[in-house]
Amino acid sequence: HVGYQWVYYSPAENLVFYNYQSGRSQEHPTKMLKDFKGLLQTDGYSGYNKVARSPDIKQLYCMAHARRYFERALDNDRARAVHFLTEVQKLYEIEEEIRKQVLEGKQKVNYRKAMAIPILACLRTWLEEQVAQVTPQSPIGKAISYSRERWQGLMEYCEHEQAEIDNNPVERSIRPMVIGRKNYLYAGSHQSAERAACFYSFLITCSLNGKNPKKWLNDVFEKIEHLKPSQYHTLFPHNWTE
């Protein structure tokens, strides 16, 4: 059997949730996010399209995923790939400058609009010009098509102060599982994978909130039998205090 860990990350609350499923159907994120309202940043996988059509959701795409397609195309068409990668690097330098200046709120949005939007606008024009000049199934053709079809969602981060240029934060939260998977190789069963999802959700959320996972677990085991279910939320890693 093959299974999938669908990982959801809320940067505003520092919460990570691993949701194990046996497939990659769009029904899984659609069910999980049926009541969600706000910004949803994803890679280009079509499984998110249904939920993203909700009028209460604004979909953003991940620039890091777009960049990877051009990195793979370096051996196919170096000149075009390097051009795109160079311009995208400028966008990341703008984000670094925002962090250095500690720009927040409207200042952050205005800085992006002044510095990043012109670069993004030029890249959009460049993509439109290049699409007819490359072979669609070539690596560079696929890279151009991927970004061109998602460009509005790739630009959208500039409009929102809480948005990031990519979804690397959630990818960093997946890294412990990826490293662990190389060591233990298999979950053993769907049930075991579900249990692993629970532990990854709790322990990575501990890490994101600066909580010691061992101390948190010990405290939970000591307290949980004395609490009512309505009080369990006080033991969640982001709410827990020693």
Side-chain angles (χ1 to χ4, degrees), residues 53-70:
R53 285 197 290 269
S54 166
D56 296 319
I57 290 178
K58 174 70 71 172
Q59 187 176 25
L60 289 70
Y61 286 115
C62 169
M63 189 64 74
H65 280 82
R67 183 173 59 183
R68 285 174 202 164
Y69 276 82
F70 283 89

Side-chain angles (χ1 to χ4, degrees), residues 118-131:
I119 296 172
L120 288 160
C122 288
L123 272 176
R124 168 177 263 171
T125 301
W126 180 82
L127 290 167
E128 293 295 338
E129 293 171 348
Q130 301 304 310
V131 69

Side-chain angles (χ1 to χ4, degrees), residues 16 197-207 213 216-217 235-237:
V16 167
C198 290
F199 276 100
Y200 278 120
S201 298
F202 283 131
L203 301 184
I204 294 174
T205 297
C206 276
S207 178
W216 173 79
L217 272 174
L235 296 179
F236 291 166

Side-chain angles (χ1 to χ4, degrees), residues 63 91 116-124 151 154-155 157-158:
M63 189 64 74
L91 298 173
I117 288 293
I119 296 172
L120 288 160
C122 288
L123 272 176
R124 168 177 263 171
W151 200 249
L154 287 168
M155 293 181 63
Y157 78 96
C158 291

Side-chain angles (χ1 to χ4, degrees), residues 15 205 209 211 216 232-241:
L15 298 178
T205 297
N209 286 275
K211 308 296 176 63
W216 173 79
Y232 286 170
H233 69 278
T234 62
L235 296 179
F236 291 166
H238 60 296
N239 293 330
W240 176 79
T241 55

Side-chain angles (χ1 to χ4, degrees), residues 73-223:
L74 281 167
D75 291 338
N76 171 239
D77 190 327
R78 188 167 188 83
R80 287 187 172 93
V82 166
H83 173 77
F84 184 90
L85 293 171
T86 300
E87 296 304 297
V88 167
Q89 182 57 37
K90 294 177 184 177
L91 298 173
Y92 276 88
E93 289 170 359
I94 290 168
E95 294 303 299
E96 181 62 27
E97 189 61 29
I98 287 173
R99 287 188 287 272
K100 285 182 180 178
Q101 295 188 33
V102 197
L103 300 180
E104 297 178 349
K106 288 294 184 182
Q107 286 183 321
K108 183 177 181 180
V109 172
N110 290 339
Y111 191 84
R112 282 173 169 171
K113 287 183 176 180
M115 306 299 292
I117 288 293
I119 296 172
L120 288 160
C122 288
L123 272 176
R124 168 177 263 171
T125 301
W126 180 82
L127 290 167
E128 293 295 338
E129 293 171 348
Q130 301 304 310
V131 69
Q133 301 178 30
V134 299
T135 305
Q137 293 306 311
S138 65
I140 193 65
K142 291 179 179 179
I144 290 172
S145 294
Y146 179 93
S147 291
R148 176 174 172 267
E149 292 167 6
R150 296 166 177 81
W151 200 249
Q152 185 56 48
L154 287 168
M155 293 181 63
E156 192 66 35
Y157 78 96
C158 291
E159 304 293 331
H160 309 278
E161 61 190 69
Q162 65 270 49
E164 298 294 336
I165 190 173
D166 56 35
N167 61 3
N168 282 348
V170 74
E171 296 213 356
R172 286 193 290 271
S173 76
I174 295 172
R175 191 170 299 152
M177 183 198 68
V178 174
I179 294 172
R181 186 177 59 196
K182 290 180 179 178
N183 294 326
Y184 59 70
L185 295 182
Y186 307 104
S189 68
H190 291 304
Q191 292 77 15
S192 295
E194 289 175 359
R195 295 186 189 105
C198 290
F199 276 100
Y200 278 120
S201 298
F202 283 131
L203 301 184
I204 294 174
T205 297
C206 276
S207 178
L208 288 171
N209 286 275
K211 308 296 176 63
N212 184 299
K214 183 178 180 180
K215 290 182 179 179
W216 173 79
L217 272 174
N218 287 336
D219 198 50
V220 167
F221 288 142
E222 288 180 6
K223 292 179 177 177

